[in-house]
Amino acid sequence: MKAEILVEESRAGLLENVHIGMICGVNERLETIFHVGDDHHYTYYRSAAKPIQALPVFLSDIITKYGLTREEAALFTASHRGEPYHIAALESMLKKLPVSEDELFCPCSYPLNTAPREEMIWANKGKRRLYHNCAGKHMGFVAACRELGYPVEGYWEVGHPLQQQIMLILSALSEIPVSEIVVGKDGCGVPVFAVPLKNMAATYLKLACPDLIEDPLLQKAVRDMTPAMNEYPHMVASEKFICSVLLQDQNIVAKGGAQGVYCFGLKNQRIGFALKVLNGSEEVWPTIVASILEQIEYDNKDTIARLRSLKPSVVMNDSGEAVGEVKERFSLIPAKSF
């Protein structure tokens, strides 16, 4: 495994934190065109898999059959943060879909965002499965099982037909045989998949450029899904989070996962990127992605500015004093430099 320094954080000129990792960018021929570190490092998608895991729903007619709005449909791809608009949409979906909250395998929890979590605790409200950030994904799993005639029981097991279907979809998008996909268990209890970083980047290239997908039904499902993510970016995460900021840009399909994994595809440039921060930090994603876009001379400067506002280069203390700085330390290496 070869990793390199991606970001350094310093305070009063003294190095305080170092984030190392890998980055890979691929073109439409699925060739590595940019890299930092090892582009073949096996990496779990974690929640970056959610758009792929949502595709059985979009391959079916569940959304139209049960009258879901596109805003609600975006939650199938989401790591929602438990804001009131997330909960309201999930409650609406429960009323429309043949799904009960008790069937969701994700554990009961409080929202991820501080304000709604504290409000619920102060109001003495208990944890719910619906508040778990993976609730939309699990709702999609149960709905897909019912629609496709699969048993709901055990949908979280890797041998279940739904999970096997998802693995076949992932294999097609990442262009890696099922036999070479590493399978683990995610935080919410369902299978989580690992592939080389290059193949992960290829997955997001195809989500951004579905014409590269050979299967016409899968291509149509992606064409139906990703616009919902772009139209309702706040549903995929929430305001002031990198996924929602990037998805405001209609040219980008993006989703992050736990333990420092981030993926995005650029539609017009026809490039897919995947990165892994090895210490698992999510805080430096905006810095890294902004630098990637700057280095490839991305033309939407507003997107880059929004990313920079999420993680400013100046470190401020609690009193608003400038006490340090955050600097990216990597250069994308073109493929010819391999």
Side-chain angles (χ1 to χ4, degrees):
M1 177 184 71
K2 181 184 178 184
E4 298 183 20
I5 295 174
L6 302 180
V7 176
E8 291 181 344
E9 297 180 272
S10 62
R11 188 176 298 265
L14 181 67
L15 184 63
E16 189 170 47
N17 203 357
V18 176
H19 304 273
I20 65 171
M22 307 92 162
I23 302 170
C24 178
V26 300
N27 63 14
E28 59 187 305
R29 293 183 298 277
L30 307 186
E31 301 166 334
T32 296
I33 56 172
F34 299 109
H35 80 106
V36 176
D38 182 6
D39 68 337
H40 285 83
H41 178 69
Y42 261 81
T43 305
Y44 283 112
Y45 283 83
R46 301 301 300 269
S47 283
K50 282 178 175 170
I52 297 99
Q53 291 166 315
L55 282 169
V57 171
F58 288 87
L59 281 163
S60 74
D61 66 347
I62 287 172
I63 294 167
T64 55
K65 181 177 180 178
Y66 294 102
L68 299 184
T69 67
R70 289 177 64 77
E71 186 173 17
E72 291 167 345
L75 279 165
F76 292 127
T77 73
S79 295
H80 81 81
R81 307 287 305 187
E83 291 293 335
Y85 53 83
H86 292 133
I87 305 307
L90 288 164
E91 293 274 17
S92 172
M93 292 166 71
L94 276 180
K95 293 176 182 177
K96 296 176 180 180
L97 292 169
V99 176
S100 68
E101 187 170 353
D102 289 344
E103 291 178 304
L104 307 183
F105 189 68
C106 54
C108 296
S109 69
Y110 283 119
L112 290 178
N113 277 359
T114 302
R117 181 172 65 247
E118 290 182 347
E119 286 177 12
M120 289 177 184
I121 292 172
W122 278 108
N124 203 28
K125 293 183 179 180
K127 297 179 179 180
R128 289 180 62 182
R129 298 182 192 278
L130 212 63
Y131 300 158
H132 193 282
N133 77 98
C134 297
K137 174 179 75 176
H138 283 258
M139 204 177 296
F141 285 162
V142 176
C145 286
R146 291 243 153 79
E147 192 69 16
L148 299 172
Y150 299 154
V152 172
E153 180 64 28
Y155 75 78
W156 51 88
E157 300 290 352
V158 68
H160 188 279
L162 178 65
Q163 299 301 332
Q164 290 295 302
Q165 180 184 0
I166 290 168
M167 198 179 305
L168 288 171
I169 292 171
L170 180 62
S171 175
L173 293 178
S174 64
E175 300 212 359
I176 185 170
V178 168
S179 60
E180 295 179 21
I181 297 173
V182 175
V183 182
K185 186 170 285 191
D186 214 339
C188 64
V190 301
V192 60
F193 309 109
V195 301
L197 202 65
K198 177 179 179 179
N199 299 84
M200 187 177 286
T203 303
Y204 270 76
L205 172 62
K206 290 185 180 181
L207 292 181
C209 303
D211 59 288
L212 297 174
I213 301 171
E214 293 183 4
D215 183 333
L217 293 178
L218 185 58
Q219 182 181 133
K220 180 181 182 302
V222 171
R223 291 187 187 279
D224 289 342
M225 178 183 69
T226 54
M229 298 172 69
N230 287 125
E231 290 166 24
Y232 300 100
H234 60 288
M235 300 305 283
V236 180
S238 70
E239 290 82 0
K240 298 182 180 179
F241 279 84
I242 182 172
C243 291
S244 296
V245 164
L246 282 173
L247 288 166
Q248 290 176 46
D249 187 329
Q250 300 298 305
N251 187 50
I252 297 178
V253 178
K255 184 71 180 72
Q259 297 303 315
V261 178
Y262 208 84
C263 305
F264 64 99
L266 303 174
K267 300 174 186 179
N268 294 334
Q269 293 75 13
R270 299 178 75 79
I271 304 175
F273 280 97
L275 65 94
K276 168 70 172 176
V277 183
L278 284 175
N279 64 5
S281 174
E282 301 176 12
E283 290 186 2
V284 292
W285 282 342
T287 301
I288 296 168
V289 175
S291 182
I292 290 171
L293 294 177
E294 288 169 348
Q295 291 186 49
I296 67 170
E297 299 182 344
Y298 187 60
D299 55 1
N300 192 331
K301 305 307 179 187
D302 289 341
T303 295
I304 295 172
R306 287 197 300 267
L307 288 170
R308 292 292 186 191
S309 71
L310 292 178
K311 180 72 172 177
S313 60
V314 177
V315 177
M316 310 294 288
N317 70 7
D318 296 341
S319 299
E321 297 176 281
V323 296
E325 62 179 350
V326 179
K327 292 289 184 182
E328 58 270 17
R329 295 300 187 193
F330 68 90
S331 297
L332 293 177
I333 302 175
K336 64 182 181 180
S337 300
F338 262 38

